[in-house]
Amino acid sequence: VSKLLKEKEQKMFLNTVAAQALSGIFVWSALLITCHQIYTHLRSYTVPNEQRYIIRILFIVPVYAFDSWLSLLFISNNQYYVYFDSVRDCYEAFVIYNFLSLSFEYLGGESAIMSEIRGKPIQSSCLYGTCCLVGMSYSIGFLRFCKQATLQFCVVKPIMAAITIILQAFGKYHDGDFNVNGGYLYITIIYNFSVSLALYALFLFFFATSDLLRPYEPVLKFLTIKSVIFLSFWQGMVLAILERCGVIPNALFIDGQEVGAGTVAAGWQNFIICIEMFFAAIALRYAFTCTVYQEKKNEVPENIPPMQSISSGLKETINPGDMVQDAIHNFSPAYQQYTQQSTQDVTHPSANGKVATGSKSSRKSDKIMLITSDDEF
């Protein structure tokens, strides 16, 4: 038996130096591409209301790539990949929110979108799942649903990640184990429902505003983000099922360490993600180009220290306060018939090279416009 286990270990590609080196090359190449792009945006941080969302989206490559590589390096260490992947799960929910918020910002905010689509009939489309909305028209409730459906994913993901860690600690979670006595089945069902609802909301919003978003090339942005988040999720589930069905061999020992069910499938998932992130970094570089912001910066000479400008931009980017305020606005009954109108619709560089966005408090303040109470969805 010991000899057979050793032979099985020798046939495992995932724990070889070749696998770790190959994945490492792709990971570090992706990191260099994306970090340079983030630096470029911070260097030309001329439209904070848009670029803070873009930078948050771009960070998905370092988070995904480095997390997956670490999981692969520690594949034999008592299923550490579950803890690493939980961080990845939480961040991908954050990216979904920021992508929708960026789309809102491109169009000038809720009130600007409502002025364009309010009252227009919702066209029936099986592709976008609007067949059941025939006879209805776009309203503030429609936008509210799109935001709520994506925000719920931001809540469900971290909760499920925490539950996964707890179940893992008690030996009740194994990838691909659909036993009713384990946690994988129930977590997968909840994940699928939550991720499907978020995807449906994004499709609805894209369907309603595709003409308005066309100048911002939304298709490449939409497909890139969706492929990174949603396809990787279903890709992991398929691999777990393949291991459960015996298509992918289930190793009991890796490097002499006993591992649980699902470890090999998770290892292949992490290896594939390491490769995919290189191509995702290239796609994101074209999808969220910094050219337009660099042109705005070149219009006015810069008189502030570059590092000070970069650090202040990064500080604003990592501050999740806008997400908290948005959640309150979208879920509080007191604001259900109000739209947020950004006070920063037009950004003008000032004479000293800074972006004239007002004080720190004014940047986060929103003007509220009342929508009539008969506007329902």
Side-chain angles (χ1 to χ4, degrees), residues 284-296:
L284 287 170
R285 190 174 185 86
Y286 286 99
F288 297 97
T289 178
C290 190
T291 305
V292 63
Y293 306 109
Q294 288 176 323
E295 291 175 352
K296 290 185 178 183

Side-chain angles (χ1 to χ4, degrees), residues 64-276:
Y64 260 59
F66 198 64
D67 175 279
S68 299
W69 195 50
L70 285 178
S71 298
L72 194 62
L73 293 179
F74 293 96
I75 188 172
S76 63
N77 290 45
N78 196 27
Q79 293 189 314
Y80 281 178
Y81 74 90
V82 174
Y83 306 103
F84 289 128
D85 293 352
S86 295
V87 176
R88 188 176 69 199
D89 290 343
C90 293
Y91 196 78
E92 71 182 27
F94 186 52
V95 167
I96 294 230
Y97 161 79
N98 282 282
F99 179 69
L100 183 61
S101 297
L102 176 63
S103 299
F104 270 66
E105 196 62 41
Y106 277 151
L107 301 179
E110 289 181 354
S111 60
I113 297 173
M114 285 309 304
S115 67
E116 293 288 340
I117 69 172
R118 185 185 180 199
K120 293 182 179 180
I122 300 178
Q123 297 179 358
S124 177
S125 172
C126 294
L127 178 63
Y128 286 92
T130 58
C131 300
C132 57
L133 303 178
V134 177
M136 305 183 70
S137 59
Y138 293 114
S139 66
I140 181 58
F142 171 81
L143 289 185
R144 195 71 72 238
F145 169 78
C146 292
K147 269 292 182 73
Q148 289 175 346
T150 52
L151 283 168
Q152 62 81 24
F153 188 53
C154 298
V155 175
V156 170
K157 266 289 189 180
I159 292 176
M160 289 298 101
I163 293 176
T164 299
I165 292 176
I166 295 173
L167 292 176
Q168 165 70 19
F170 288 94
K172 295 293 184 179
Y173 180 87
H174 300 290
D175 282 333
D177 184 4
F178 290 93
N179 192 310
V180 294
N181 295 322
Y184 180 80
L185 173 63
Y186 307 104
I187 288 177
T188 300
I189 292 174
I190 296 174
Y191 263 156
N192 268 292
F193 177 79
S194 180
V195 76
S196 299
L197 182 60
L199 180 60
Y200 177 61
L202 287 171
F203 266 110
L204 284 180
F205 181 79
F206 181 76
F207 181 67
T209 61
S210 57
D211 291 337
L212 302 175
L213 285 170
R214 187 169 289 115
Y216 303 97
E217 300 180 347
V219 176
L220 179 59
K221 296 179 173 67
F222 186 83
L223 292 179
T224 304
I225 298 299
K226 296 303 147 289
S227 61
V228 170
I229 294 176
F230 294 105
L231 293 185
S232 65
F233 168 74
W234 284 314
Q235 172 182 276
M237 191 171 66
V238 169
L239 288 170
I241 294 174
L242 289 177
E243 182 186 17
R244 188 68 176 174
C245 296
V247 178
I248 297 176
N250 183 9
L252 299 177
F253 289 85
I254 298 178
D255 291 338
Q257 300 292 327
E258 185 177 2
V259 298
T263 302
V264 177
W268 278 111
Q269 164 77 334
N270 287 313
F271 178 79
I272 294 172
I273 287 178
C274 288
I275 308 298
E276 291 173 338

